[in-house]
Amino acid sequence: MTDPTTRTPTGPEESLSQHALRQYADALWTAAIAGDEYAATDAVLDALDAGVDPEAVLLDVVGAVQRKVGLEWAANRISVAQEHTATAIDERVIGAVGHRVRTEPHLGRIAVACVDGEWHALPARLLSEVLRLRGFRVDYLGAQVPAPHLVEHLHRTAPEAVALSGSLATRLPTAHATITACRATGVPVIAGGAAFGPDGRFARLLGAEAWAPDARAAADRLAAGPLPRPENSTQAVDDLPHLADQEYTMVTRTAPQLVKAMYTGLERRLPVMARYTDQQRQHTAEDLDHIVQFLATSLYTGDDELFGQFLGWTATILEARSVPAAFLVPALELLGEELRDFPRATALLEGARAQLSASLVGTKEPA
Amino acid sequence: MTEPEHAPRGSVLEIDTRIDTAPYAAVVADAAGIVQALNRAARTLLPAVRVGETLTATAPAWLAASHANLAHAAGPGPVDQGWVERRSLEGHPVRHDDGTVTWWLVDDTDARLAREALRSEQARTAFLTEVSTALLGSLNLQRCMEITVGLATEHLGDAAMVIAPAAHGGRYPTVSGVRGGEVAHDVLDVDVEEVPGLPEALQGFPPVPSRWLDPMSLPDWLRPTGFGEVGSIVVTPLPGHGVPAGALILVRGAGAAEFSEDEEVVARLFATRAGVAMSAARLYDQQASITETLMRDLLPPTVHRLSGVEFAARYRPSQDGERIGGDFYDVHPASRDDEESLVVLGDVCGKGLDAAVLTGKIRSTLHALLPLAGDHLRMLKLLNGALLNTHDARFATLVLASVARAGGGVRLRLTCGGHPAPLVVRADGRVEEAPTRGTLIGAMPEVRATTAELTLGPGETCLMYTDGITEAKGGPFGDELFGERRLHRALGECAGMPAEAVVERVQMLASQWLGRGAHDDMAVLAITAPRGQHLTAVGGHGRGRYTA
């Protein structure tokens, strides 16, 4: 659910106001995780009543809680139900803030949308509310917006810019298609979210006019003046000439067969899998599917680090759930055998396998 | 020294007759630039040049300068080019041993004109290609007008205005701009008759040549702000698809050249493209508005909390580009808190627009039957009769749920008509199927159905869904159905979750299961008894009143 790249280190010395914000965030966290909408609403309304800037309430109280949800989920300290509950409560709380504080729109029109297939709507929702507070006219299109809907919206409303949110790196090829479609209609794109990399390199790579590390920076950038109009519309292969080798296309199109081949191979190598429950089988298959998806994304972006980071993150997630991560190495070997005719994929898999083997030294292979 | 003025127009150097009769002009000058000899062709071409005179005083400046430069240059010397009257000449210098130079002057006027025509034609093609690319991208009228003004000020005039045909109320939407500046939108209440040629252009008549327009007669509303004296203007109609799309007004400053005939041609070609793009955008906008209006009643409604019960729903049509399909749901709120709300979720066989139209009929029929919601079976029978009486042979499956608060929980009456039975998630994570069954609606004259009555405790959810969820095909191996077992297991993790989190979770898992695969319409609707022990229904935005 959550990507590894969202983490920001905690700041140095806390000022008094930061301390206060932390207390509101703690109160909201407790309420949200318990599914107590009323206590959650009280926590943010208390902060507003105490004179905390509404933008800070959204980003440093609600946003902080949401970041913690991601961290706690990755560490397996909260359940899926708690994660979803907290997110739903945060959504309602954001509604309550928007209801309490209103700004007359006096700035340009902005469309805020998530990449298709992106279910983490909260960052986009927070950005929408921050932009509204700043006086923009905002159309919030919500989670997983299919590109045709977004393009239709752009034709009908001609906004000043599209703010595109994405947290899942595997959606980058879709994000690219969306960015290209927006730019073709003459509307510039500002991209944000963990998917675009901690330094925004994927936003640039995929042709977005701007990138922002967080909602505040995105609002600052949009308030500083209109984004440059897209100069010329491009096709995917103009931005990423390496796509001409078709490796991304082949891996994506044959993903189910690749997963099946890896799974069967693993069953031969790891006798323990014969005793797996249905659910364990499904989880393993899904993990393998993720590996293929991330490999495909790395082939798409031409970025080797992405794949290595994903595997490192997966290993951490698996360890947190007491699932031995050692099956990842044979899985990569099996995938390598399937893809031996693809030079870029082979190089990626070989590099990642070496890196992973080194980091897993001491971890026992499941018996 | 020879007296130059008396010298015959012959030569100091005796000129070879073979050179004298050469078809190209030849001028011989010494290192100091004094003309030593001219052949016959040179005398005709450059009547001012005489033997003994300096090139500086008598020859075209470019030739004199080239000759002077030659003294410093090594080798045969560069070929130079310049104009004499309206002829273009290439000067080829030939050095001689005595320090004199013969300039052979070759007329290349035709080649040069051809090259220049080619260059300007290439520039025009590049411009029009840029115009087409820029305009093709957008189907938004405002944006097309902006692009037109932007390109016009960049390439054609110092300022430009696009004026669209009058909208309702006789006012003219306009976009205007000055080169390098921002474009401005406006709606003007003006008399277009004030500008000669503009009413005609707005009606699609041929453009008035710029020379006939008096810049002094420009009305103020047309004078670009921050623009100096106007030198020339040209008004060009924007032809659309069968109807005029408006007019383009190009303005040049007093210092700039007037519009040449050639430029007016380019302006017309440009206007043709802009006009077509603008009328396509207008047509798209009209069509989109019509679609929006017609679809409004077919779109799935926004569902939220009512009378202390949480409702949430999500819908994903089979075609990702569409918004409607064959699944539908509605929540009809009770008029009083102690009465039942009626929830409907169903699925018409088929997908796309045709199916959506039938969902609209079913939804309005059920709306009309609301007073009978106390008796689900009777409602289904009446709906069945109504569907059998239409020419549409389609049938539907659906679930009716009557919902009311009961103490801390929620009381439900559920009736299925040929639809998958709703699932109930208990507080401890158990998932039960509601014991209700019934026949398809709109297929047979008889309808049979049983109603299940049950109660949801705080935090418990009843989930209604369409088979697009369970029949989602995909998964890691690409060929498995999501299936009821996986749905049950997913719901088991949803105990205690708010309604919108449950529907999001179910939709998310099913969508992720699908991956890139094709799918049927997918709808889910959750009815949840809130977990908080709050005393009354609270709006959701204010502080809650709840017991400790």
Side-chain angles (χ1 to χ4, degrees), chain B residues 446-499:
Chain B
E446 270 301 299
V447 172
R448 282 191 310 279
T450 55
T451 299
E453 296 195 17
L454 48 93
T455 308
L456 300 177
E460 295 184 337
T461 293
C462 171
L463 187 87
M464 298 152 78
Y465 65 96
T466 59
D467 56 11
I469 297 285
T470 41
E471 285 167 18
K473 193 172 167 187
F477 299 135
D479 54 2
E480 281 180 276
L481 295 185
F482 186 65
E484 284 171 31
R485 209 150 50 108
R486 258 180 279 266
L487 177 60
H488 279 240
R489 200 156 63 213
L491 276 177
E493 294 179 324
C494 294
M497 274 167 39

Side-chain angles (χ1 to χ4, degrees), chain B residues 125-148:
Chain B
T125 308
F127 167 58
L128 291 174
T129 306
E130 185 192 342
V131 168
S132 299
T133 313
L135 286 168
L136 273 175
S138 187
L139 282 172
N140 182 276
L141 183 58
Q142 298 287 315
R143 183 78 194 112
C144 284
M145 289 168 79
E146 278 174 28
I147 293 170
T148 305

